[in-house]
Amino acid sequence: MGWFWGSSDDKNASTKKDVWGDLDPTLRDFLAKESPVKYNSSNSPAESQPQAAPTTGSRFSPSTASDNADSIPKIPEKTLYKDGRYADLWKTYKPLAEIEAEGKSDQERMMDVIEGYKYRREEIGRIALENCALEQIALSDCFKAGGWKARATMCRDDNRKFDRCYNMQAKFLKALGYLDTFNRPPEVDERIQMQADTLYHRMLEQEEAIEQAKKDGLPPPAFPPLLAPRPKVAKNTPSTNPDERKTISEISDLRDKFKKPLEKRLEGLSGPERDVEEQNIKAEIAVGTQIADQMKAMEKKAAEERQIRKEQGRETLADKVASIFR
């Protein structure tokens, strides 16, 4: 006799029914790819029993291990999901900066180098103001609530302290290499900023110690240099290749029209200030040499790309115009 809710045989058949096989094929593919638990349709729930432990006499096959290692999908480095989700999408991911860089022309790449240098120079002024925040607050307080003598002299003492702090902090930042590269992490810039502030206050402490020694009639104490000298670049040997140019690292390597203004900046300076100014000038020379090398490498690469397009018969109008002015 049959029951309204079905017989016991129908119940057992429904439990053994393959639910995985009834799913839509696209849904099965999605679950197989994204789900951490893999469903095996050949094993029913009743048959899914724990497997027996392998015997001691069984041997491990190296080929099986290599196959398992190859079957594990590799997680892309730039993915946001370290569990392997969407690995097929992240393996072809490119940051927006790389995509924009690929579509830029040679002129735009050169302008990026120049704009990066200008941005660094502006950042030096902003960072110097941050390091001189206490001197700037003292100057502001002097103008707001200073005595009649300070206001009569336009807060001369505080103004001099702030101006010297700003100028010396900017020189320390340049000497420490803040202008050298344009694509380093922000942590490096923060270390340079803190080091510049530390060196400036160390210089003030040394000057106070020298002044105190003069008042006491003692010989001035000797201090190590604040900045380590930059490593000297080996001089170029004479070469017959016209493309190779002389390496410029010192003031003496420059032409006279560039050398005289730099030597004038050293006039009237002595002690730590002169050393810092010399390192500052050398840092500016190194940055100029670096920018010139980048420009030269870009021009060489652009010329090679134009030559390849010309050989392939894909020369553009811009290539023809550029070849005229070469």
Side-chain angles (χ1 to χ4, degrees), residues 77-125:
E77 296 180 358
K78 299 179 181 179
T79 181
L80 298 178
Y81 304 95
K82 300 304 180 181
D83 55 356
R85 286 181 294 169
Y86 313 112
D88 55 333
L89 301 177
W90 280 98
K91 67 181 179 182
T92 58
Y93 169 78
K94 285 186 178 181
L96 180 60
E98 294 183 6
I99 297 174
E100 292 178 349
E102 292 176 356
K104 288 183 179 180
S105 61
D106 300 333
Q107 186 68 20
E108 290 175 341
R109 293 191 183 98
M110 294 181 183
M111 288 301 299
D112 288 344
V113 176
I114 298 175
E115 290 297 329
Y117 174 72
K118 292 180 180 179
Y119 173 76
R120 285 289 183 184
R121 291 184 67 90
E122 295 174 357
E123 282 291 297
I124 283 180

mmCIF file of all heavy atoms in Angstrom, residues 77-125:
data_model
loop_
_atom_site.group_PDB
_atom_site.id
_atom_site.type_symbol
_atom_site.label_atom_id
_atom_site.label_comp_id
_atom_site.label_asym_id
_atom_site.label_seq_id
_atom_site.Cartn_x
_atom_site.Cartn_y
_atom_site.Cartn_z
ATOM 1 N N GLU A 77 51.238 37.864 -7.022
ATOM 2 C CA GLU A 77 51.814 38.697 -5.974
ATOM 3 C C GLU A 77 50.934 39.905 -5.670
ATOM 4 O O GLU A 77 50.847 40.343 -4.531
ATOM 5 C CB GLU A 77 53.214 39.164 -6.381
ATOM 6 C CG GLU A 77 54.211 38.020 -6.541
ATOM 7 C CD GLU A 77 55.569 38.508 -6.944
ATOM 8 O OE1 GLU A 77 55.707 39.735 -7.137
ATOM 9 O OE2 GLU A 77 56.495 37.696 -7.071
ATOM 10 N N LYS A 78 50.270 40.473 -6.670
ATOM 11 C CA LYS A 78 49.526 41.710 -6.498
ATOM 12 C C LYS A 78 48.062 41.482 -6.123
ATOM 13 O O LYS A 78 47.289 42.427 -6.084
ATOM 14 C CB LYS A 78 49.591 42.546 -7.772
ATOM 15 C CG LYS A 78 51.007 42.944 -8.156
ATOM 16 C CD LYS A 78 51.028 43.742 -9.442
ATOM 17 C CE LYS A 78 52.448 44.121 -9.828
ATOM 18 N NZ LYS A 78 52.483 44.889 -11.088
ATOM 19 N N THR A 79 47.684 40.244 -5.865
ATOM 20 C CA THR A 79 46.297 39.971 -5.552
ATOM 21 C C THR A 79 45.942 40.461 -4.157
ATOM 22 O O THR A 79 46.789 40.525 -3.260
ATOM 23 C CB THR A 79 46.008 38.469 -5.667
ATOM 24 O OG1 THR A 79 44.628 38.228 -5.380
ATOM 25 C CG2 THR A 79 46.869 37.684 -4.698
ATOM 26 N N LEU A 80 44.681 40.797 -3.964
ATOM 27 C CA LEU A 80 44.180 41.186 -2.646
ATOM 28 C C LEU A 80 43.642 39.999 -1.875
ATOM 29 O O LEU A 80 43.335 40.137 -0.683
ATOM 30 C CB LEU A 80 43.076 42.245 -2.794
ATOM 31 C CG LEU A 80 43.487 43.565 -3.453
ATOM 32 C CD1 LEU A 80 42.275 44.477 -3.569
ATOM 33 C CD2 LEU A 80 44.590 44.240 -2.666
ATOM 34 N N TYR A 81 43.515 38.861 -2.527
ATOM 35 C CA TYR A 81 42.966 37.652 -1.907
ATOM 36 C C TYR A 81 44.071 36.605 -1.854
ATOM 37 O O TYR A 81 44.395 35.972 -2.865
ATOM 38 C CB TYR A 81 41.767 37.130 -2.689
ATOM 39 C CG TYR A 81 40.663 38.156 -2.850
ATOM 40 C CD1 TYR A 81 40.594 38.939 -4.001
ATOM 41 C CD2 TYR A 81 39.704 38.349 -1.870
ATOM 42 C CE1 TYR A 81 39.598 39.879 -4.163
ATOM 43 C CE2 TYR A 81 38.707 39.294 -2.012
ATOM 44 C CZ TYR A 81 38.656 40.050 -3.161
ATOM 45 O OH TYR A 81 37.674 40.993 -3.325
ATOM 46 N N LYS A 82 44.656 36.438 -0.673
ATOM 47 C CA LYS A 82 45.777 35.509 -0.523
ATOM 48 C C LYS A 82 45.336 34.064 -0.453
ATOM 49 O O LYS A 82 46.179 33.168 -0.400
ATOM 50 C CB LYS A 82 46.564 35.863 0.749
ATOM 51 C CG LYS A 82 47.136 37.270 0.736
ATOM 52 C CD LYS A 82 48.017 37.510 -0.479
ATOM 53 C CE LYS A 82 48.589 38.922 -0.482
ATOM 54 N NZ LYS A 82 49.417 39.188 -1.670
ATOM 55 N N ASP A 83 44.012 33.804 -0.434
ATOM 56 C CA ASP A 83 43.533 32.427 -0.419
ATOM 57 C C ASP A 83 43.377 31.851 -1.816
ATOM 58 O O ASP A 83 42.928 30.709 -1.965
ATOM 59 C CB ASP A 83 42.205 32.338 0.331
ATOM 60 C CG ASP A 83 41.156 33.289 -0.247
ATOM 61 O OD1 ASP A 83 41.506 34.064 -1.170
ATOM 62 O OD2 ASP A 83 40.005 33.258 0.220
ATOM 63 N N GLY A 84 43.727 32.607 -2.842
ATOM 64 C CA GLY A 84 43.691 32.084 -4.200
ATOM 65 C C GLY A 84 42.449 32.424 -4.980
ATOM 66 O O GLY A 84 42.307 31.987 -6.122
ATOM 67 N N ARG A 85 41.524 33.185 -4.395
ATOM 68 C CA ARG A 85 40.315 33.545 -5.129
ATOM 69 C C ARG A 85 40.648 34.498 -6.283
ATOM 70 O O ARG A 85 41.490 35.377 -6.138
ATOM 71 C CB ARG A 85 39.299 34.198 -4.192
ATOM 72 C CG ARG A 85 38.614 33.228 -3.264
ATOM 73 C CD ARG A 85 37.607 33.958 -2.390
ATOM 74 N NE ARG A 85 38.264 34.883 -1.475
ATOM 75 C CZ ARG A 85 37.608 35.778 -0.757
ATOM 76 N NH1 ARG A 85 36.293 35.908 -0.883
ATOM 77 N NH2 ARG A 85 38.269 36.570 0.075
ATOM 78 N N TYR A 86 39.955 34.309 -7.365
ATOM 79 C CA TYR A 86 40.098 35.156 -8.559
ATOM 80 C C TYR A 86 41.549 35.220 -9.040
ATOM 81 O O TYR A 86 42.011 36.234 -9.552
ATOM 82 C CB TYR A 86 39.585 36.574 -8.288
ATOM 83 C CG TYR A 86 38.253 36.625 -7.601
ATOM 84 C CD1 TYR A 86 38.137 37.082 -6.292
ATOM 85 C CD2 TYR A 86 37.097 36.202 -8.250
ATOM 86 C CE1 TYR A 86 36.909 37.123 -5.648
ATOM 87 C CE2 TYR A 86 35.861 36.246 -7.622
ATOM 88 C CZ TYR A 86 35.770 36.707 -6.321
ATOM 89 O OH TYR A 86 34.560 36.751 -5.701
ATOM 90 N N ALA A 87 42.274 34.115 -8.882
ATOM 91 C CA ALA A 87 43.676 34.108 -9.307
ATOM 92 C C ALA A 87 43.801 34.253 -10.816
ATOM 93 O O ALA A 87 44.769 34.836 -11.313
ATOM 94 C CB ALA A 87 44.353 32.812 -8.851
ATOM 95 N N ASP A 88 42.819 33.727 -11.564
ATOM 96 C CA ASP A 88 42.886 33.833 -13.017
ATOM 97 C C ASP A 88 42.712 35.273 -13.486
ATOM 98 O O ASP A 88 43.163 35.633 -14.571
ATOM 99 C CB ASP A 88 41.811 32.947 -13.652
ATOM 100 C CG ASP A 88 40.421 33.269 -13.127
ATOM 101 O OD1 ASP A 88 40.316 33.758 -11.979
ATOM 102 O OD2 ASP A 88 39.438 33.030 -13.852
ATOM 103 N N LEU A 89 42.069 36.110 -12.671
ATOM 104 C CA LEU A 89 41.911 37.520 -13.025
ATOM 105 C C LEU A 89 43.109 38.356 -12.567
ATOM 106 O O LEU A 89 43.558 39.255 -13.287
ATOM 107 C CB LEU A 89 40.626 38.081 -12.398
ATOM 108 C CG LEU A 89 39.321 37.388 -12.801
ATOM 109 C CD1 LEU A 89 38.154 38.004 -12.051
ATOM 110 C CD2 LEU A 89 39.093 37.481 -14.309
ATOM 111 N N TRP A 90 43.631 38.051 -11.396
ATOM 112 C CA TRP A 90 44.725 38.845 -10.848
ATOM 113 C C TRP A 90 46.048 38.570 -11.540
ATOM 114 O O TRP A 90 46.968 39.395 -11.454
ATOM 115 C CB TRP A 90 44.865 38.585 -9.355
ATOM 116 C CG TRP A 90 43.881 39.350 -8.532
ATOM 117 C CD1 TRP A 90 42.707 38.899 -8.031
ATOM 118 C CD2 TRP A 90 43.984 40.710 -8.128
ATOM 119 N NE1 TRP A 90 42.065 39.883 -7.339
ATOM 120 C CE2 TRP A 90 42.826 41.019 -7.382
ATOM 121 C CE3 TRP A 90 44.936 41.713 -8.321
ATOM 122 C CZ2 TRP A 90 42.611 42.274 -6.833
ATOM 123 C CZ3 TRP A 90 44.723 42.960 -7.769
ATOM 124 C CH2 TRP A 90 43.576 43.224 -7.039
ATOM 125 N N LYS A 91 46.206 37.430 -12.205
ATOM 126 C CA LYS A 91 47.489 37.141 -12.840
ATOM 127 C C LYS A 91 47.751 38.040 -14.047
ATOM 128 O O LYS A 91 48.905 38.202 -14.465
ATOM 129 C CB LYS A 91 47.559 35.671 -13.255
ATOM 130 C CG LYS A 91 46.586 35.282 -14.360
ATOM 131 C CD LYS A 91 46.705 33.810 -14.676
ATOM 132 C CE LYS A 91 45.730 33.379 -15.778
ATOM 133 N NZ LYS A 91 45.817 31.942 -16.058
ATOM 134 N N THR A 92 46.716 38.635 -14.600
ATOM 135 C CA THR A 92 46.882 39.569 -15.711
ATOM 136 C C THR A 92 46.671 41.020 -15.280
ATOM 137 O O THR A 92 46.520 41.891 -16.127
ATOM 138 C CB THR A 92 45.892 39.226 -16.836
ATOM 139 O OG1 THR A 92 44.543 39.277 -16.321
ATOM 140 C CG2 THR A 92 46.172 37.842 -17.397
ATOM 141 N N TYR A 93 46.669 41.273 -13.971
ATOM 142 C CA TYR A 93 46.394 42.624 -13.476
ATOM 143 C C TYR A 93 47.605 43.523 -13.684
ATOM 144 O O TYR A 93 48.753 43.120 -13.469
ATOM 145 C CB TYR A 93 46.032 42.579 -11.997
ATOM 146 C CG TYR A 93 45.977 43.930 -11.336
ATOM 147 C CD1 TYR A 93 44.884 44.765 -11.518
ATOM 148 C CD2 TYR A 93 47.034 44.372 -10.537
ATOM 149 C CE1 TYR A 93 44.836 46.009 -10.916
ATOM 150 C CE2 TYR A 93 46.985 45.610 -9.930
ATOM 151 C CZ TYR A 93 45.885 46.428 -10.127
ATOM 152 O OH TYR A 93 45.842 47.660 -9.535
ATOM 153 N N LYS A 94 47.351 44.753 -14.087
ATOM 154 C CA LYS A 94 48.374 45.783 -14.226
ATOM 155 C C LYS A 94 47.899 47.037 -13.514
ATOM 156 O O LYS A 94 46.756 47.446 -13.695
ATOM 157 C CB LYS A 94 48.649 46.112 -15.701
ATOM 158 C CG LYS A 94 49.457 45.061 -16.442
ATOM 159 C CD LYS A 94 49.790 45.547 -17.841
ATOM 160 C CE LYS A 94 50.639 44.527 -18.589
ATOM 161 N NZ LYS A 94 50.981 45.012 -19.949
ATOM 162 N N PRO A 95 48.753 47.667 -12.724
ATOM 163 C CA PRO A 95 48.340 48.918 -12.068
ATOM 164 C C PRO A 95 48.041 50.000 -13.089
ATOM 165 O O PRO A 95 48.515 49.966 -14.232
ATOM 166 C CB PRO A 95 49.550 49.281 -11.194
ATOM 167 C CG PRO A 95 50.316 48.011 -11.041
ATOM 168 C CD PRO A 95 50.070 47.217 -12.284
ATOM 169 N N LEU A 96 47.257 50.966 -12.654
ATOM 170 C CA LEU A 96 46.881 52.054 -13.550
ATOM 171 C C LEU A 96 48.089 52.853 -13.996
ATOM 172 O O LEU A 96 48.144 53.320 -15.148
ATOM 173 C CB LEU A 96 45.871 52.974 -12.842
ATOM 174 C CG LEU A 96 45.357 54.174 -13.652
ATOM 175 C CD1 LEU A 96 44.643 53.711 -14.911
ATOM 176 C CD2 LEU A 96 44.424 55.029 -12.800
ATOM 177 N N ALA A 97 49.084 53.014 -13.123
ATOM 178 C CA ALA A 97 50.274 53.782 -13.492
ATOM 179 C C ALA A 97 51.030 53.113 -14.636
ATOM 180 O O ALA A 97 51.527 53.790 -15.543
ATOM 181 C CB ALA A 97 51.187 53.939 -12.275
ATOM 182 N N GLU A 98 51.115 51.764 -14.619
ATOM 183 C CA GLU A 98 51.801 51.066 -15.709
ATOM 184 C C GLU A 98 51.031 51.188 -17.024
ATOM 185 O O GLU A 98 51.636 51.355 -18.087
ATOM 186 C CB GLU A 98 51.988 49.593 -15.340
ATOM 187 C CG GLU A 98 52.924 49.358 -14.167
ATOM 188 C CD GLU A 98 53.125 47.884 -13.897
ATOM 189 O OE1 GLU A 98 52.622 47.074 -14.707
ATOM 190 O OE2 GLU A 98 53.775 47.547 -12.891
ATOM 191 N N ILE A 99 49.715 51.109 -16.946
ATOM 192 C CA ILE A 99 48.917 51.229 -18.170
ATOM 193 C C ILE A 99 49.058 52.631 -18.764
ATOM 194 O O ILE A 99 49.205 52.801 -19.988
ATOM 195 C CB ILE A 99 47.445 50.904 -17.868
ATOM 196 C CG1 ILE A 99 47.311 49.450 -17.395
ATOM 197 C CG2 ILE A 99 46.575 51.144 -19.095
ATOM 198 C CD1 ILE A 99 45.913 49.079 -16.944
ATOM 199 N N GLU A 100 49.040 53.642 -17.906
ATOM 200 C CA GLU A 100 49.199 55.006 -18.411
ATOM 201 C C GLU A 100 50.599 55.233 -18.964
ATOM 202 O O GLU A 100 50.769 55.962 -19.942
ATOM 203 C CB GLU A 100 48.903 56.003 -17.295
ATOM 204 C CG GLU A 100 47.438 56.025 -16.865
ATOM 205 C CD GLU A 100 47.200 56.990 -15.725
ATOM 206 O OE1 GLU A 100 48.209 57.472 -15.145
ATOM 207 O OE2 GLU A 100 46.021 57.271 -15.416
ATOM 208 N N ALA A 101 51.612 54.624 -18.333
ATOM 209 C CA ALA A 101 52.987 54.795 -18.809
ATOM 210 C C ALA A 101 53.184 54.157 -20.180
ATOM 211 O O ALA A 101 53.953 54.662 -21.006
ATOM 212 C CB ALA A 101 53.968 54.207 -17.804
ATOM 213 N N GLU A 102 52.494 53.037 -20.447
ATOM 214 C CA GLU A 102 52.635 52.385 -21.746
ATOM 215 C C GLU A 102 52.056 53.222 -22.879
ATOM 216 O O GLU A 102 52.541 53.166 -23.999
ATOM 217 C CB GLU A 102 51.952 51.017 -21.709
ATOM 218 C CG GLU A 102 52.654 50.006 -20.811
ATOM 219 C CD GLU A 102 51.887 48.700 -20.730
ATOM 220 O OE1 GLU A 102 50.771 48.642 -21.312
ATOM 221 O OE2 GLU A 102 52.379 47.750 -20.094
ATOM 222 N N GLY A 103 51.030 54.020 -22.572
ATOM 223 C CA GLY A 103 50.405 54.814 -23.609
ATOM 224 C C GLY A 103 50.993 56.201 -23.784
ATOM 225 O O GLY A 103 50.490 56.977 -24.613
ATOM 226 N N LYS A 104 52.052 56.541 -23.041
ATOM 227 C CA LYS A 104 52.636 57.879 -23.146
ATOM 228 C C LYS A 104 53.637 57.951 -24.285
ATOM 229 O O LYS A 104 54.303 56.968 -24.613
ATOM 230 C CB LYS A 104 53.332 58.253 -21.833
ATOM 231 C CG LYS A 104 52.374 58.538 -20.692
ATOM 232 C CD LYS A 104 53.112 58.966 -19.446
ATOM 233 C CE LYS A 104 52.142 59.285 -18.322
ATOM 234 N NZ LYS A 104 52.850 59.699 -17.088
ATOM 235 N N SER A 105 53.734 59.126 -24.860
ATOM 236 C CA SER A 105 54.696 59.356 -25.926
ATOM 237 C C SER A 105 56.065 59.658 -25.322
ATOM 238 O O SER A 105 56.216 59.819 -24.109
ATOM 239 C CB SER A 105 54.235 60.520 -26.807
ATOM 240 O OG SER A 105 54.146 61.710 -26.052
ATOM 241 N N ASP A 106 57.081 59.753 -26.192
ATOM 242 C CA ASP A 106 58.431 60.039 -25.716
ATOM 243 C C ASP A 106 58.501 61.419 -25.074
ATOM 244 O O ASP A 106 59.181 61.611 -24.057
ATOM 245 C CB ASP A 106 59.422 59.948 -26.882
ATOM 246 C CG ASP A 106 59.416 58.567 -27.521
ATOM 247 O OD1 ASP A 106 59.091 57.599 -26.808
ATOM 248 O OD2 ASP A 106 59.716 58.463 -28.722
ATOM 249 N N GLN A 107 57.806 62.384 -25.654
ATOM 250 C CA GLN A 107 57.814 63.726 -25.097
ATOM 251 C C GLN A 107 57.159 63.749 -23.721
ATOM 252 O O GLN A 107 57.633 64.435 -22.803
ATOM 253 C CB GLN A 107 57.077 64.681 -26.044
ATOM 254 C CG GLN A 107 57.146 66.140 -25.646
ATOM 255 C CD GLN A 107 58.540 66.718 -25.774
ATOM 256 O OE1 GLN A 107 59.371 66.179 -26.492
ATOM 257 N NE2 GLN A 107 58.799 67.801 -25.056
ATOM 258 N N GLU A 108 56.094 62.994 -23.535
ATOM 259 C CA GLU A 108 55.421 62.949 -22.237
ATOM 260 C C GLU A 108 56.299 62.292 -21.176
ATOM 261 O O GLU A 108 56.306 62.707 -20.012
ATOM 262 C CB GLU A 108 54.096 62.205 -22.357
ATOM 263 C CG GLU A 108 53.037 62.958 -23.145
ATOM 264 C CD GLU A 108 51.778 62.144 -23.356
ATOM 265 O OE1 GLU A 108 51.848 60.892 -23.220
ATOM 266 O OE2 GLU A 108 50.740 62.737 -23.650
ATOM 267 N N ARG A 109 57.065 61.255 -21.564
ATOM 268 C CA ARG A 109 57.968 60.616 -20.602
ATOM 269 C C ARG A 109 59.065 61.585 -20.164
ATOM 270 O O ARG A 109 59.445 61.629 -18.987
ATOM 271 C CB ARG A 109 58.585 59.366 -21.212
ATOM 272 C CG ARG A 109 57.581 58.242 -21.474
ATOM 273 C CD ARG A 109 58.296 56.955 -21.814
ATOM 274 N NE ARG A 109 57.367 55.895 -22.137
ATOM 275 C CZ ARG A 109 57.044 55.548 -23.375
ATOM 276 N NH1 ARG A 109 57.589 56.175 -24.412
ATOM 277 N NH2 ARG A 109 56.185 54.558 -23.605
ATOM 278 N N MET A 110 59.601 62.351 -21.107
ATOM 279 C CA MET A 110 60.623 63.325 -20.739
ATOM 280 C C MET A 110 60.052 64.420 -19.841
ATOM 281 O O MET A 110 60.712 64.859 -18.893
ATOM 282 C CB MET A 110 61.218 63.947 -22.010
ATOM 283 C CG MET A 110 62.000 62.985 -22.871
ATOM 284 S SD MET A 110 62.704 63.774 -24.335
ATOM 285 C CE MET A 110 63.465 62.362 -25.131
ATOM 286 N N MET A 111 58.815 64.822 -20.124
ATOM 287 C CA MET A 111 58.192 65.834 -19.287
ATOM 288 C C MET A 111 57.935 65.299 -17.880
ATOM 289 O O MET A 111 57.995 66.048 -16.902
ATOM 290 C CB MET A 111 56.885 66.303 -19.920
ATOM 291 C CG MET A 111 57.072 67.163 -21.166
ATOM 292 S SD MET A 111 58.038 68.656 -20.851
ATOM 293 C CE MET A 111 57.018 69.478 -19.636
ATOM 294 N N ASP A 112 57.659 63.995 -17.760
ATOM 295 C CA ASP A 112 57.465 63.408 -16.430
ATOM 296 C C ASP A 112 58.733 63.495 -15.590
ATOM 297 O O ASP A 112 58.676 63.729 -14.373
ATOM 298 C CB ASP A 112 57.028 61.949 -16.563
ATOM 299 C CG ASP A 112 55.594 61.825 -17.054
ATOM 300 O OD1 ASP A 112 54.862 62.832 -16.988
ATOM 301 O OD2 ASP A 112 55.214 60.730 -17.517
ATOM 302 N N VAL A 113 59.894 63.294 -16.232
ATOM 303 C CA VAL A 113 61.157 63.397 -15.506
ATOM 304 C C VAL A 113 61.374 64.823 -15.003
ATOM 305 O O VAL A 113 61.759 65.060 -13.843
ATOM 306 C CB VAL A 113 62.325 62.950 -16.411
ATOM 307 C CG1 VAL A 113 63.655 63.158 -15.697
ATOM 308 C CG2 VAL A 113 62.169 61.490 -16.795
ATOM 309 N N ILE A 114 61.107 65.798 -15.865
ATOM 310 C CA ILE A 114 61.292 67.199 -15.473
ATOM 311 C C ILE A 114 60.287 67.601 -14.399
ATOM 312 O O ILE A 114 60.622 68.282 -13.423
ATOM 313 C CB ILE A 114 61.173 68.109 -16.713
ATOM 314 C CG1 ILE A 114 62.274 67.752 -17.717
ATOM 315 C CG2 ILE A 114 61.267 69.573 -16.314
ATOM 316 C CD1 ILE A 114 62.173 68.496 -19.024
ATOM 317 N N GLU A 115 59.033 67.180 -14.565
ATOM 318 C CA GLU A 115 58.018 67.510 -13.567
ATOM 319 C C GLU A 115 58.321 66.850 -12.228
ATOM 320 O O GLU A 115 58.052 67.428 -11.167
ATOM 321 C CB GLU A 115 56.641 67.065 -14.064
ATOM 322 C CG GLU A 115 56.108 67.876 -15.233
ATOM 323 C CD GLU A 115 55.888 69.328 -14.882
ATOM 324 O OE1 GLU A 115 55.579 69.612 -13.698
ATOM 325 O OE2 GLU A 115 56.019 70.186 -15.771
ATOM 326 N N GLY A 116 58.888 65.638 -12.264
ATOM 327 C CA GLY A 116 59.282 64.991 -11.015
ATOM 328 C C GLY A 116 60.375 65.766 -10.295
ATOM 329 O O GLY A 116 60.360 65.879 -9.059
ATOM 330 N N TYR A 117 61.314 66.316 -11.040
ATOM 331 C CA TYR A 117 62.370 67.120 -10.426
ATOM 332 C C TYR A 117 61.786 68.396 -9.812
ATOM 333 O O TYR A 117 62.151 68.783 -8.686
ATOM 334 C CB TYR A 117 63.421 67.462 -11.480
ATOM 335 C CG TYR A 117 64.480 68.412 -10.993
ATOM 336 C CD1 TYR A 117 65.461 68.003 -10.093
ATOM 337 C CD2 TYR A 117 64.505 69.728 -11.431
ATOM 338 C CE1 TYR A 117 66.431 68.877 -9.641
ATOM 339 C CE2 TYR A 117 65.475 70.607 -10.985
ATOM 340 C CZ TYR A 117 66.436 70.180 -10.099
ATOM 341 O OH TYR A 117 67.385 71.054 -9.653
ATOM 342 N N LYS A 118 60.881 69.042 -10.536
ATOM 343 C CA LYS A 118 60.256 70.254 -10.000
ATOM 344 C C LYS A 118 59.437 69.939 -8.748
ATOM 345 O O LYS A 118 59.432 70.708 -7.778
ATOM 346 C CB LYS A 118 59.356 70.892 -11.055
ATOM 347 C CG LYS A 118 60.108 71.473 -12.239
ATOM 348 C CD LYS A 118 59.138 72.095 -13.237
ATOM 349 C CE LYS A 118 59.873 72.683 -14.434
ATOM 350 N NZ LYS A 118 58.925 73.270 -15.417
ATOM 351 N N TYR A 119 58.768 68.794 -8.767
ATOM 352 C CA TYR A 119 57.972 68.406 -7.593
ATOM 353 C C TYR A 119 58.863 68.183 -6.380
ATOM 354 O O TYR A 119 58.508 68.560 -5.258
ATOM 355 C CB TYR A 119 57.169 67.149 -7.919
ATOM 356 C CG TYR A 119 56.438 66.560 -6.744
ATOM 357 C CD1 TYR A 119 55.268 67.151 -6.264
ATOM 358 C CD2 TYR A 119 56.905 65.416 -6.109
ATOM 359 C CE1 TYR A 119 54.595 66.616 -5.181
ATOM 360 C CE2 TYR A 119 56.240 64.874 -5.025
ATOM 361 C CZ TYR A 119 55.082 65.488 -4.569
ATOM 362 O OH TYR A 119 54.426 64.956 -3.487
ATOM 363 N N ARG A 120 60.030 67.576 -6.591
ATOM 364 C CA ARG A 120 60.953 67.342 -5.484
ATOM 365 C C ARG A 120 61.447 68.664 -4.902
ATOM 366 O O ARG A 120 61.587 68.799 -3.685
ATOM 367 C CB ARG A 120 62.132 66.504 -5.963
ATOM 368 C CG ARG A 120 61.795 65.036 -6.156
ATOM 369 C CD ARG A 120 61.598 64.372 -4.833
ATOM 370 N NE ARG A 120 61.338 62.953 -4.974
ATOM 371 C CZ ARG A 120 61.060 62.149 -3.966
ATOM 372 N NH1 ARG A 120 60.998 62.625 -2.758
ATOM 373 N NH2 ARG A 120 60.822 60.878 -4.172
ATOM 374 N N ARG A 121 61.740 69.614 -5.746
ATOM 375 C CA ARG A 121 62.203 70.909 -5.255
ATOM 376 C C ARG A 121 61.115 71.596 -4.421
ATOM 377 O O ARG A 121 61.409 72.226 -3.394
ATOM 378 C CB ARG A 121 62.619 71.797 -6.419
ATOM 379 C CG ARG A 121 63.877 71.336 -7.124
ATOM 380 C CD ARG A 121 64.281 72.313 -8.207
ATOM 381 N NE ARG A 121 64.703 73.573 -7.629
ATOM 382 C CZ ARG A 121 65.957 73.866 -7.275
ATOM 383 N NH1 ARG A 121 66.912 72.962 -7.429
ATOM 384 N NH2 ARG A 121 66.256 75.037 -6.763
ATOM 385 N N GLU A 122 59.875 71.487 -4.856
ATOM 386 C CA GLU A 122 58.780 72.058 -4.077
ATOM 387 C C GLU A 122 58.592 71.315 -2.754
ATOM 388 O O GLU A 122 58.290 71.932 -1.727
ATOM 389 C CB GLU A 122 57.491 72.029 -4.894
ATOM 390 C CG GLU A 122 57.519 72.910 -6.135
ATOM 391 C CD GLU A 122 56.290 72.734 -6.996
ATOM 392 O OE1 GLU A 122 55.448 71.873 -6.643
ATOM 393 O OE2 GLU A 122 56.175 73.430 -8.018
ATOM 394 N N GLU A 123 58.784 70.004 -2.785
ATOM 395 C CA GLU A 123 58.634 69.227 -1.559
ATOM 396 C C GLU A 123 59.707 69.578 -0.526
ATOM 397 O O GLU A 123 59.458 69.522 0.680
ATOM 398 C CB GLU A 123 58.706 67.728 -1.879
ATOM 399 C CG GLU A 123 57.428 67.175 -2.469
ATOM 400 C CD GLU A 123 56.312 67.156 -1.449
ATOM 401 O OE1 GLU A 123 56.433 66.457 -0.435
ATOM 402 O OE2 GLU A 123 55.322 67.875 -1.664
ATOM 403 N N ILE A 124 60.898 69.951 -1.009
ATOM 404 C CA ILE A 124 61.956 70.333 -0.074
ATOM 405 C C ILE A 124 61.536 71.556 0.732
ATOM 406 O O ILE A 124 61.750 71.637 1.946
ATOM 407 C CB ILE A 124 63.268 70.583 -0.842
ATOM 408 C CG1 ILE A 124 63.902 69.246 -1.219
ATOM 409 C CG2 ILE A 124 64.248 71.404 -0.022
ATOM 410 C CD1 ILE A 124 65.195 69.368 -1.971
ATOM 411 N N GLY A 125 60.917 72.546 0.063
ATOM 412 C CA GLY A 125 60.441 73.718 0.790
ATOM 413 C C GLY A 125 59.369 73.379 1.809
ATOM 414 O O GLY A 125 59.370 73.900 2.936
#
